[in-house]
């Protein structure tokens, strides 16, 4: 029986979510599998990969062949590197402790790179949000200025109308006084 490490698609249309599984090569893509090794969510930025490294290495050592995408995911999480280090231990080139120390150092460096990307994305989003807020403040200030100008125009118009009304009243009073004389 030929075993493949591959992705099993889940999630709704347009929002994929994958299980990383070890399955018989003859089984359907979303069908029966031997063991679930982890999950892969490409919708997040950066993609979220949760993988059981030791189980994946065990399957690789037993002859499982990863598909291209699964191989990329395994490489990203360090499964292939750990398998490589275990090969060095079996040959006697390094000790188990040295291999484990190298793997931990690699994982820490990888996590630091991922965290730097997340921080960069967060900083970019914060900068965009601040820029949008400034633009919104400018629009609000322009609206407030326009409203004040409109109010001042209305007040000036009301004063002019009042003055015109007072002037017509005075003229009317003067005409009534002249006619009364």
């Amino acid at each position: 029986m030929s075993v493949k490490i591959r992705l099993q698609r889940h999630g709704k249309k347009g929002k994929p979510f994958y299980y990383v599984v070890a399955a018989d090569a003859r089984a359907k893509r979303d069908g029966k599998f031997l063991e679930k090794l982890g999950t892969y969510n490409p919708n997040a930025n950066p993609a979220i990969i949760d993988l059981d490294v030791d189980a994946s290495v065990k399957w690789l050592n037993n002859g499982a062949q990863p598909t291209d995408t699964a191989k990329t995911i395994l490489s990203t999480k360090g499964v292939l590197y750990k398998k490589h280090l275990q090969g060095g231990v079996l040959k006697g080139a390094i000790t188990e402790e040295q291999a484990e120390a190298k793997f931990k150092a690699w994982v820490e460096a990888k996590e630091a790179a991922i965290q730097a990307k997340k921080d960069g994305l967060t900083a970019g989003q914060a900068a965009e949000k601040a820029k949008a807020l400034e633009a919104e403040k400018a629009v609000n200030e322009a609206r407030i200025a326009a409203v004040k100008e409109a109010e001042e125009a209305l007040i000036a118009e009301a004063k002019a109308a009042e003055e015109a009304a007072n002037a017509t009243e005075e003229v009317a009073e003067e005409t009534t006084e002249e006619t009364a004389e």
Side-chain angles (χ1 to χ4, degrees):
M1 171 171 76
S2 172
V3 176
K4 290 263 190 198
I5 295 178
R6 63 182 181 203
L7 301 180
Q8 225 184 36
R9 191 181 196 285
H10 294 275
K12 63 183 186 175
K13 185 162 111 178
K15 299 281 186 183
F17 183 83
Y18 299 96
Y19 289 166
V20 180
V21 297
D24 183 359
R26 298 170 294 182
K28 295 178 183 177
R29 179 193 74 174
D30 298 336
K32 197 161 124 179
F33 60 90
L34 301 170
E35 184 178 357
K36 179 179 169 186
L37 303 174
T39 60
Y40 168 58
N41 183 3
N43 297 318
N45 188 10
I48 299 171
I49 302 171
D50 180 33
L51 196 64
D52 184 357
V53 175
D54 294 328
S56 301
V57 170
K58 179 191 81 161
W59 278 106
L60 288 174
N61 285 337
N62 287 337
Q65 295 297 313
T67 61
D68 293 337
T69 307
K71 189 173 187 176
T72 303
I73 291 171
L74 295 176
S75 177
T76 302
K77 291 307 274 186
V79 173
L80 299 178
Y81 183 59
K82 188 165 186 173
K83 181 178 184 274
H84 171 73
L85 291 174
Q86 282 184 349
V89 170
L90 290 175
K91 292 178 182 176
I94 57 174
T95 65
E96 183 71 37
E97 293 79 25
Q98 290 173 331
E100 197 62 35
K102 283 184 176 185
F103 182 70
K104 283 185 180 179
W106 184 89
V107 168
E108 288 172 3
K110 187 73 170 182
E111 286 175 357
I114 290 171
Q115 189 60 41
K117 182 176 181 180
K118 284 181 182 177
D119 293 342
L121 291 172
T122 304
Q125 289 173 345
E128 287 177 17
K129 201 175 204 180
K131 187 177 178 182
L133 185 62
E134 289 299 320
E136 190 174 327
K137 282 182 182 178
V139 168
N140 286 342
E141 288 173 2
R143 283 184 188 157
I144 290 170
V147 167
K148 284 184 180 178
E149 288 177 13
E151 285 177 358
E152 289 172 2
L154 285 174
I155 291 171
E157 225 177 87
K159 284 183 181 178
E162 189 176 310
E163 289 174 6
N166 287 341
T168 56
E169 283 179 16
E170 288 176 11
V171 171
E173 285 177 13
E174 287 176 10
T175 56
T176 55
E177 286 177 8
E178 289 175 6
T179 54
E181 293 176 2

